[in-house]
């Protein structure tokens, strides 16, 4: 869990800088308006901004770590730092029969996803020749979109999977995307290994 927490802190670095600048700048302005000398006000403002920024990052990273731990346990996974990367990606390459189309591989992937007991596919958003998009009601109330791209070339198929929160602005999703992708990827690998 600690490795996830550190990864979450790294992901929040930009937010930390923003909080330091905004809160620190406001503190400097108030201190200068109160009659403090500018150098002293600047030092105090930076200290205040850094304190608020550190508290903000600590609280968000800790909350996200607890949520990611619950998401991992929900699907029987062990949490690691990869869960902090949003979106989560995976890739499967398998041999296939000659002349197998991307549509056939995509159909196999969809059946594999629907066969996973948890997480359950909530909605199929797109299903075309080589493209698949499904949505999950992810752990912690975070809806997860799983996008699958399939390419089939002669006797090989490549399946690329990308899981991310439906709300694309999220920088951290409490491990929801990672846990959904990690839970369904073995079923996809197994279905493709059994042959298309």
């Amino acid at each position: 869990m600690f490795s996830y927490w550190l990864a979450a802190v790294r992901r929040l670095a930009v937010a930390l800088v923003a909080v330091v600048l905004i809160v620190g700048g406001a503190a400097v302005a108030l201190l200068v308006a109160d009659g403090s000398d500018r150098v002293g006000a600047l030092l105090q403002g930076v200290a205040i901004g850094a304190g608020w920024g550190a508290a903000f990052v600590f609280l968000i990273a800790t909350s996200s770590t607890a949520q990611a731990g619950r998401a991992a346990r929900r699907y029987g996974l062990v949490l690691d730092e990869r869960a902090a990367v949003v979106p989560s990606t995976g890739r499967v390459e398998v041999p296939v029969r000659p002349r197998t189309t991307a549509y056939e591989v995509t159909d196999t992937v969809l059946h594999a996803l629907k066969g996973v007991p948890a997480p359950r596919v909530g909605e199929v958003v797109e299903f075309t020749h080589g493209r698949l998009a499904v949505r999950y009601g992810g752990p912690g109330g975070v809806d997860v979109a799983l996008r699958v791209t399939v390419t089939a070339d002669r006797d090989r198929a490549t399946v690329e999977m990308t899981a991310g929160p439906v709300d694309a602005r999220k920088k951290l999703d409490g491990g929801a995307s990672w846990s959904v992708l990690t839970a369904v990827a073995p079923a996809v690998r197994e279905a493709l290994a059994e042959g298309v």
Side-chain angles (χ1 to χ4, degrees):
M1 286 190 124
F2 186 67
S3 62
Y4 176 90
W5 187 84
L6 284 176
V9 168
R10 284 193 300 273
R11 299 258 320 156
L12 292 167
V14 172
L16 170 66
V17 171
V19 170
V20 169
L21 290 175
I22 292 168
V23 173
V28 169
L30 289 173
L31 289 169
V32 168
D34 237 8
S36 297
D37 69 289
R38 291 180 187 211
V39 173
L42 181 62
L43 292 174
Q44 284 182 328
V46 168
I48 291 168
W52 277 96
F56 171 78
V57 167
F58 177 82
L59 288 174
I60 298 296
T62 302
S63 171
S64 183
T65 302
Q67 187 178 1
R70 284 192 301 274
R73 284 190 300 276
R74 180 176 184 180
Y75 301 127
L77 305 170
V78 176
L79 183 64
D80 67 32
E81 68 272 2
R82 291 175 297 171
V85 177
V86 177
S88 285
T89 59
R91 181 183 174 113
V92 179
E93 287 189 41
V94 293
V96 293
R97 292 186 322 268
R99 295 193 193 101
T100 299
T101 65
Y103 182 85
E104 291 172 303
V105 177
T106 307
D107 188 48
T108 301
V109 170
L110 178 58
H111 285 294
L113 293 175
K114 286 184 172 180
V116 175
R120 302 283 307 159
V121 171
E123 174 186 7
V124 177
V125 178
E126 178 184 13
F127 177 60
T128 62
H129 188 82
R131 295 183 90 52
L132 175 64
V134 296
R135 285 197 180 158
Y136 292 91
V142 177
D143 291 336
V144 175
L146 176 67
R147 289 171 208 75
V148 179
T149 305
V150 176
T151 53
D153 182 30
R154 293 187 195 136
D155 60 350
R156 277 204 97 51
T158 303
V159 177
E160 295 182 6
M161 298 176 284
T162 303
V166 171
D167 180 1
R169 296 171 301 175
K170 286 184 171 282
K171 296 295 179 202
L172 287 173
D173 66 355
S177 301
W178 172 83
S179 61
V180 166
L181 180 65
T182 305
V184 302
V188 171
R189 262 190 216 91
E190 187 178 316
L192 293 172
E194 287 174 1
V196 180

